[in-house]
Amino acid sequence: MSIEKFMQGAVTGWMEAYGEHSDIVMSTRIRLARNLTGYRFPIAFTEEQAMEVDRQVAAVLLDADESNYAYTKMADLPLLERQILVEKHLISPQLADPDRHGAVILSEDETISVMVNEEDHIRIQCIRPGLQLEAAYRQADFVDDYLEKELPYAFDEDFGYLTSCPSNTGTGMRASVMMHLPALTITKQIDRIIPAISRLGMIVRGSYGEGSEAPGNVYQISNQMTLGKTEQEILEDLGNITSRLIAHERKSRELLLAKSRLSLENRLFRSLGTVSFARLLPSGEAAKCLSDVRLGIDLGIIQNVDMSILNELMIFMQPGFLQQYAGAELGQEERDVFRAKLFRERLAIEKTPASQEQETEE
């Protein structure tokens, strides 16, 4: 299977609008950090060690019967293609650095991503749509067990799985949910909720992980520590906090409708108008407007707009995908112009040249 397949479509499996509470929980991710015994951690290993780790991991997954995985080295990919994989959440921004001697092994349906030589030798990632903590864990654990049968994992009876960062030592598991929380953001309740979540041992980040912002009111909530807790305890804790956030978000949406319906409708339809007719559309404004339109659809205020198109535009609006779609490198203003044009076309406000030709022929 060729890596080109993963560059073509914007909507990956985790962006499909199904799964429990999919109107608020956009996706669930499980990530397992593992290292091989006898090798230094990636922060200090040699190029020869990196190549040997790469060879061993790839051999196990790619030589399996009926393997549905695609393998590629980061150094073999142009910058634009690495950026697209980051934008689709299939690799981390850290792995995109070609100097790390990294590689990625992707399943055909894009739910499994095995990153090699990132912060740890192996990072197994499973992403599923909606709230599916148990299902995502089982899928990641299956891949982990398969690798562990063939590879010598670095494991200590007292400390658990040994990892490059001490905060990952133990289960080596980070469980996270990506949540769309527009009502909590609009009402500014999110400002007091984030510190409360942190006190409960969880961390709140932007949609692209550590150091990223939360454009479009999309937040990633994950466990902070992995040592001293079992996998099931981590899943249970995150599930409980997620359930509370869902309840708070739903309550906030109800209050906005009850107390400020006209103002809310005005905001949502203005955003729909912006993404439908704008000639210049910066990424920050595009993310905010998409969040508003998504909220309008969830509340039944905005109709006849396909949620799958919004999911597609969330990815297509990113710099890497925009430039691939345009077939050229674009400066910032050029991206803003092209982004606006793409939004108008996908929301069917303006007909594309192809559709105009079809009408002429008819």
Side-chain angles (χ1 to χ4, degrees):
M1 185 169 50
S2 170
I3 192 67
E4 281 74 21
K5 169 192 177 297
F6 303 97
M7 306 296 170
Q8 295 166 1
V11 178
T12 186
W14 66 264
M15 297 200 73
E16 296 177 8
Y18 72 87
E20 193 176 6
H21 303 295
S22 59
D23 57 327
I24 294 176
V25 183
M26 300 176 68
S27 66
T28 300
R29 185 191 73 159
I30 299 294
R31 191 216 66 200
L32 303 174
R34 301 290 187 256
N35 289 280
L36 303 187
T37 188
Y39 297 90
R40 294 177 182 176
F41 292 132
I43 195 172
F45 65 7
T46 64
E47 183 175 353
E48 290 74 20
Q49 288 179 317
M51 292 173 64
E52 180 59 21
V53 169
D54 185 352
R55 185 195 66 77
Q56 289 193 46
V57 177
V60 174
L61 289 179
L62 301 182
D63 290 349
D65 293 338
E66 300 179 5
S67 174
N68 290 316
Y69 290 100
Y71 165 88
T72 189
K73 289 180 179 289
M74 291 298 103
D76 293 340
L77 288 180
L79 173 61
L80 180 60
E81 294 188 4
R82 282 181 269 129
Q83 188 173 355
I84 288 170
L85 291 177
V86 172
E87 290 171 358
K88 294 183 75 175
H89 295 269
L90 296 178
I91 67 170
S92 65
Q94 293 87 345
L95 190 72
D97 181 354
D99 295 332
R100 299 183 71 95
H101 310 295
V104 65
I105 302 171
L106 295 167
S107 65
E108 187 173 9
D109 62 2
E110 303 184 11
T111 59
I112 291 291
S113 168
V114 179
M115 291 173 273
V116 184
N117 294 334
E118 195 231 32
E119 186 177 286
D120 294 287
H121 296 148
I122 303 169
R123 289 257 172 123
I124 303 164
Q125 173 182 278
C126 176
I127 305 184
R128 296 178 69 94
L131 182 58
Q132 298 192 66
L133 283 166
E134 289 289 346
Y137 171 68
R138 286 195 300 271
Q139 193 172 357
D141 188 50
F142 177 83
V143 177
D144 183 40
D145 287 345
Y146 189 83
L147 286 169
E148 193 167 16
K149 286 178 183 177
E150 303 295 332
L151 299 174
Y153 276 179
F155 183 84
D156 182 89
E157 290 296 333
D158 294 321
F159 293 104
Y161 291 102
L162 304 180
T163 56
S164 179
C165 179
S167 65
N168 289 323
T169 298
T171 62
M173 184 175 86
R174 293 276 183 171
S176 65
V177 289
M178 191 156 67
M179 305 185 71
H180 182 225
L181 303 173
L184 289 175
T185 306
I186 291 170
T187 58
K188 302 190 184 306
Q189 295 180 68
I190 197 72
D191 296 335
R192 64 175 178 78
I193 286 175
I194 289 176
I197 290 174
S198 299
R199 289 193 293 272
L200 293 172
M202 298 289 162
I203 190 165
V204 182
R205 298 185 172 109
S207 56
Y208 285 95
E210 189 171 358
S212 65
E213 297 179 353
N217 307 316
V218 175
Y219 300 86
Q220 188 181 117
I221 296 92
S222 65
N223 60 301
Q224 202 161 15
M225 301 293 291
T226 70
L227 185 62
K229 288 189 175 183
T230 66
E231 289 88 348
Q232 285 304 315
E233 287 171 336
I234 292 171
L235 295 176
E236 212 172 287
D237 289 346
L238 180 58
N240 289 335
I241 288 175
T242 302
S243 296
R244 291 188 211 173
L245 279 172
I246 290 169
H248 284 309
E249 173 66 21
R250 293 203 191 286
K251 184 65 175 177
S252 295
R253 293 181 183 191
E254 291 171 6
L255 288 173
L256 282 173
L257 283 172
K259 296 184 176 181
S260 309
R261 187 180 183 98
L262 184 60
S263 175
L264 178 63
E265 288 183 348
N266 184 59
R267 171 181 173 139
L268 304 184
F269 280 110
R270 278 180 177 271
S271 290
L272 177 60
T274 298
V275 295
S276 299
F277 294 102
R279 262 51 188 172
L280 280 170
L281 195 55
S283 60
E285 184 177 13
K288 173 193 170 298
C289 290
L290 280 180
S291 172
D292 284 346
V293 175
R294 178 182 292 275
L295 177 59
I297 294 171
D298 289 339
L299 294 176
I301 293 172
I302 294 176
Q303 299 181 8
N304 302 320
V305 176
D306 192 337
M307 185 67 84
S308 66
I309 292 177
L310 295 191
N311 289 342
E312 180 183 287
L313 290 175
M314 279 184 62
I315 301 296
F316 264 140
M317 64 174 276
Q318 305 296 330
F321 255 110
L322 274 181
Q323 292 176 96
Q324 175 176 270
Y325 197 73
E329 290 188 17
L330 302 174
Q332 182 172 325
E333 185 171 325
E334 291 174 313
R335 292 199 298 269
D336 294 346
V337 171
F338 193 80
R339 184 181 294 111
K341 179 177 182 293
L342 178 62
F343 273 52
R344 295 195 305 271
E345 289 180 353
R346 294 301 293 123
L347 291 169
I349 300 302
E350 290 185 355
K351 295 184 177 65
T352 62
S355 64
Q356 289 173 344
E357 288 175 12
Q358 188 176 4
E359 283 190 3
T360 303
E361 290 173 1
E362 291 173 353

